[in-house]
Amino acid sequence: MLSSIWQKLTSVNSPLMKWGPLVLSVVGILLYVGRAVYYAFTQRSIIDEGLYLYKGYLFVQGIYTPFQDYGFWTQKAPLSYLVYGWIQQLFAPGLRTGRFFSILIGLLTILGLILVAQRIGGRWWGVVSVWVVALNPVTIRYFSVAMSQSLVACCLIWMLFFTLGEDRPLWQVASGGLLAGIMVMTRQNMVPVLVILILYLFWQRGWKMGMTAAAASLFPLIIIHTIYWPEILKMWTPWLPAGLTPFLDTWRLPLSQLTQVNDLGLSAKIQSVLEGFRFHFVALTGGLLALLLWPGRTYWKNRNQSRKSFFLMALFLVLLGFHLWAGLGYTVANNNNAFTFNPYLAFFDFLGFLVFVSISPSLGRRIPLLKQILVAIFLLVVSAGIGFGGFGVLGDDLATLQVPRVKDFFTTWKFLPGKAMLWQLLYNKFGIKYETSRLLIPTVILAFSGLFLILLSLELWMYLRRKSVTHPFAAILVTVFLSAGIVYASTPVLGGGFQEWNCTGNVIESYEQAGQYLASVIPSQSQVYWNGSNAVAVLLYVPEIRIFPPQFDGAWNFSDAGDADDLARFGFWNSESANRWREEADVFLLQERDYLDWKPYVNTEEFNEPPRSTWALDCAPNTYFRVFIREP
């Protein structure tokens, strides 16, 4: 009876099959929007967000120009700033405008992802794609702040929509090429996509389509380079080896002399990689599983399908390798910061999911035993790695877990009275100290969890065989693991462990109130010395002030190596510049937590302090602003 009911529900003309994908997709989209709006109000603003908004707004206002000498450090491609500048000019400057615009762009990204996943794998894969995003708080967090992740992801997915497949008309191929060019002019680190796309179209569609895409993609590059020539070359020099491009030395700052930020050695790089797997588990693991299970030529339906999948895999692997190298701190283009792998993945992580979707029809084939063993080992290693990588979130809670006290339990089979912390039992039995336990315990627990899922998959495989349903063990194994990854994405084990942006209260309202306070106490046309750390976005509410542009990137563009004037030309600064600006400034802005460092200078009769603000801007009570105005 149950089987007949199931057959009716899953028949082609049943309501479930007709309307189920649409209903589930809409519910997933609504969940995404709700969570994105929540994060927009409750995430603290990091310095990157403030820089995109503030620089972009001043660029669009014509007060400064991207790449100008002695202006802002324009580290990223110009559209990453200008887009946010334009949208603020259209509506209103501020955090609210930037964040809600980013949510809208994220929503367009999800709609594009649904359409591409449906084209590759069918309607139900479109549904899965929605829930992969809607249940992963990391992706939603990046898409609900005013940063370039949502802009790049949107360009990338719609580029795929317009170019993927053998029957795209000429205008769609041109549109895809145009989006690729726009994407590169938003983030120059995405330039490999443009190259791979053009090669794919030449290979798949011939010279006409390839040349059309190439011409369309070069159009925004040529226009923007012409507008900002030749100073735009400053954008490319950090990414190009100096030895191979000596002709660019005029636009190259000796960035190798800068202090390396967050470079803590091999342990930091390992932690960064594992962080990427935790926060982008389904996409990253799914893409690498597709590589391990890549089918031979005989298993593809046709040549177009194999080329389409190969194109997606090439995009995924090249971008993964390139951003792994950059994200682990091997380039001065990101200040040798070893912890940018996770945010880089947000540009393109859905490619891993799409690659898996593209090879999913082949999972029913006979898979060699060696491949199946490799898949099981890979998933077990990833499970243990996720535990180790999550020790900062999970370690303390698990190490201090209250457990029954035991002594020679397997000899006496008795518990002792009372309870003890888990780490204490390990210390008493094996001499393992607390700091080691908080690393070891989550690693072991997640390794056993991975082993449990492997055994569960084996039991399910054996059960299906008894029912004369034949599926390779590897197919069931990856289905179980990726399903678990989707379900547990919001827990601290995976994406829920991304807590560094957590805040309480209404962040947008706090910035608006603090900005109104600053606008009311700072005299018009004042020369402002900025020491406000990450809260750059608050100045969007303070018009008609003069600033020292290099200050706003903080320590990221500060170096005491080299001449102050040479540094200033590239938007950098040093102690000499800081001392000179200090004497020129009319107003000093600093957060309460930095007051003690400034007290000997500002706590004099030379300065007047208006009543203090009360709005904390970095989720801590000592991050409200203090304003010191130099007496005439």
Side-chain angles (χ1 to χ4, degrees):
M1 181 177 177
L2 288 176
S3 61
S4 64
I5 294 174
W6 177 250
Q7 287 177 0
K8 290 180 180 179
L9 287 174
T10 56
S11 64
V12 176
N13 295 320
S14 69
L16 176 65
M17 299 304 290
K18 277 187 175 182
W19 299 105
L22 176 61
V23 171
L24 290 174
S25 296
V26 170
V27 172
I29 289 172
L30 292 175
L31 177 62
Y32 160 78
V33 172
R35 299 185 77 181
V37 171
Y38 170 78
Y39 286 132
F41 282 100
T42 59
Q43 290 189 124
R44 71 184 184 93
S45 181
I46 67 171
I47 189 171
D48 300 63
E49 178 181 39
L51 293 174
Y52 284 124
L53 290 169
Y54 194 51
K55 291 180 183 180
Y57 188 64
L58 294 184
F59 288 158
V60 169
Q61 292 290 304
I63 300 173
Y64 292 95
T65 304
F67 312 108
Q68 77 173 75
D69 290 348
Y70 307 102
F72 283 109
W73 179 30
T74 315
Q75 183 187 19
K76 309 299 192 302
L79 289 183
S80 61
Y81 305 102
L82 293 173
V83 169
Y84 283 110
W86 290 326
I87 200 67
Q88 290 179 95
Q89 187 178 48
L90 181 62
F91 293 98
L95 206 59
R96 186 184 301 267
T97 299
R99 289 193 169 184
F100 275 80
F101 175 70
S102 186
I103 291 173
L104 176 62
I105 296 300
L107 180 59
L108 289 175
T109 304
I110 294 176
L111 293 176
L113 180 61
I114 295 172
L115 295 175
V116 174
Q118 285 181 347
R119 183 182 297 171
I120 295 172
R123 297 174 68 196
W124 286 104
W125 277 116
V127 175
V128 175
S129 71
V130 177
W131 287 91
V132 167
V133 176
L135 292 178
N136 185 3
V138 177
T139 302
I140 305 174
R141 283 178 182 272
Y142 278 114
F143 286 4
S144 58
V145 294
M147 292 170 62
S148 56
Q149 273 79 358
S150 60
L151 299 176
V152 169
C154 188
C155 287
L156 180 57
I157 194 64
W158 284 98
M159 179 205 81
L160 293 176
F161 174 78
F162 285 124
T163 59
L164 202 60
E166 64 279 4
D167 56 351
R168 300 298 100 200
L170 187 66
W171 72 268
Q172 289 195 16
V173 171
S175 299
L178 183 65
L179 284 172
I182 291 172
M183 178 175 58
V184 173
M185 286 294 91
T186 304
R187 285 295 297 243
Q188 66 270 42
N189 50 291
M190 298 301 288
V191 72
V193 175
L194 190 150
V195 177
I196 296 171
L197 172 67
I198 294 173
L199 291 176
Y200 163 71
L201 289 172
F202 274 117
W203 182 41
Q204 172 80 334
R205 303 295 304 278
W207 283 95
K208 182 179 179 181
M209 292 297 187
M211 291 300 295
T212 299
S217 64
L218 290 176
F219 180 71
L221 272 72
I222 292 172
I223 294 297
I224 292 175
H225 277 75
T226 301
I227 293 172
Y228 299 114
W229 188 266
E231 298 304 322
I232 194 174
L233 294 173
K234 295 175 183 177
M235 176 186 82
W236 294 107
T237 52
W239 295 92
L240 300 173
L244 298 179
T245 56
F247 52 89
L248 294 178
D249 286 348
T250 302
W251 299 277
R252 178 179 285 113
L253 184 76
L255 289 173
S256 58
Q257 299 177 33
L258 287 176
T259 303
Q260 293 187 350
V261 183
N262 291 339
D263 184 10
L264 306 177
L266 181 61
S267 61
K269 293 175 172 58
I270 293 174
Q271 190 69 21
S272 182
V273 172
L274 296 177
E275 189 177 81
F277 272 95
R278 287 178 61 219
F279 296 159
H280 307 266
F281 175 77
V282 172
L284 195 54
T285 306
L288 295 176
L289 285 171
L291 181 64
L292 287 174
L293 295 171
W294 195 259
R297 295 176 61 183
T298 58
Y299 291 100
W300 298 105
K301 289 182 179 178
N302 51 56
R303 186 184 66 176
N304 291 326
Q305 185 192 38
S306 65
R307 288 185 175 183
K308 183 166 55 180
S309 297
F310 184 83
F311 167 58
L312 290 171
M313 179 61 83
L315 277 179
F316 173 68
L317 292 179
V318 170
L319 288 177
L320 179 62
F322 182 57
H323 289 90
L324 182 64
W325 165 75
L328 296 186
Y330 290 108
T331 172
V332 294
N334 72 338
N335 298 67
N336 300 101
N337 185 356
F339 282 98
T340 54
F341 182 51
N342 164 44
Y344 280 162
L345 285 172
F347 292 131
F348 64 91
D349 67 344
F350 58 80
L351 287 174
F353 171 76
L354 292 177
V355 170
F356 182 81
V357 173
S358 73
I359 66 107
S360 60
S362 69
L363 294 180
R365 74 188 193 277
R366 184 179 179 276
I367 299 175
L369 179 61
L370 178 60
K371 277 192 174 186
Q372 301 198 62
I373 293 174
L374 288 175
V375 167
I377 293 173
F378 169 73
L379 290 172
L380 186 61
V381 170
V382 168
S383 300
I386 286 173
F388 180 80
F391 78 90
V393 176
L394 304 171
D396 292 326
D397 289 340
L398 292 175
T400 57
L401 193 66
Q402 295 284 336
V403 295
R405 296 174 61 240
V406 296
K407 182 178 181 182
D408 299 326
F409 179 76
F410 292 105
T411 301
T412 63
W413 297 97
K414 292 182 179 180
F415 292 103
L416 296 177
K419 293 184 178 181
M421 294 183 184
L422 181 56
W423 78 269
Q424 293 174 327
L425 295 183
L426 294 176
Y427 180 76
N428 293 334
K429 186 68 176 179
F430 304 106
I432 300 175
K433 295 182 178 180
Y434 176 78
E435 287 302 320
T436 303
S437 291
R438 66 190 292 266
L439 293 171
L440 183 63
I441 293 173
T443 305
V444 172
I445 289 178
L446 265 293
F448 274 104
S449 298
L451 182 60
F452 169 77
L453 291 180
I454 292 173
L455 295 176
L456 177 65
S457 302
L458 182 62
E459 174 62 28
L460 182 58
W461 174 69
M462 295 173 65
Y463 170 80
L464 291 174
R465 288 194 66 185
R466 291 194 295 269
K467 297 293 184 179
S468 300
V469 179
T470 57
H471 287 291
F473 168 66
I476 296 173
L477 180 61
V478 299
T479 302
V480 168
F481 262 85
L482 295 182
S483 299
I486 295 173
V487 172
Y488 286 95
S490 294
T491 68
V493 176
L494 298 176
F498 184 56
Q499 300 176 355
E500 59 188 274
W501 291 359
N502 284 2
C503 201
T504 56
N506 188 328
V507 172
I508 293 177
E509 186 177 79
S510 294
Y511 267 76
E512 291 172 344
Q513 292 175 334
Q516 292 168 9
Y517 159 77
L518 294 178
S520 68
V521 300
I522 298 176
S524 178
Q525 298 304 317
S526 295
Q527 182 71 62
V528 174
Y529 190 102
W530 174 256
N531 196 72
S533 185
N534 63 295
V536 178
V538 75
L539 291 185
L540 291 164
Y541 310 98
V542 190
E544 299 181 353
I545 60 172
R546 293 175 294 132
I547 59 173
F548 302 111
Q551 287 188 312
F552 290 88
D553 285 275
W556 299 96
N557 64 334
F558 182 92
S559 173
D560 275 326
D563 177 74
D565 188 70
D566 290 339
L567 291 170
R569 180 186 158 225
F570 288 86
F572 282 67
W573 61 313
N574 62 7
S575 297
E576 179 184 339
S577 302
N579 291 334
R580 185 176 70 252
W581 296 337
R582 188 172 63 177
E583 299 306 314
E584 297 173 359
D586 305 313
V587 176
F588 289 77
L589 289 184
L590 54 120
Q591 293 184 17
E592 167 63 19
R593 60 186 174 189
D594 299 316
Y595 172 68
L596 288 179
D597 295 333
W598 281 91
K599 185 177 180 180
Y601 185 79
V602 299
N603 192 23
T604 65
E605 294 181 355
E606 187 180 356
F607 291 94
N608 171 50
E609 182 183 11
R612 300 171 191 173
S613 66
T614 58
W615 296 280
L617 298 181
D618 198 23
C619 309
N622 63 346
T623 57
Y624 60 86
F625 266 100
R626 297 185 66 170
V627 182
F628 295 90
I629 303 174
R630 196 188 300 271
E631 293 289 346

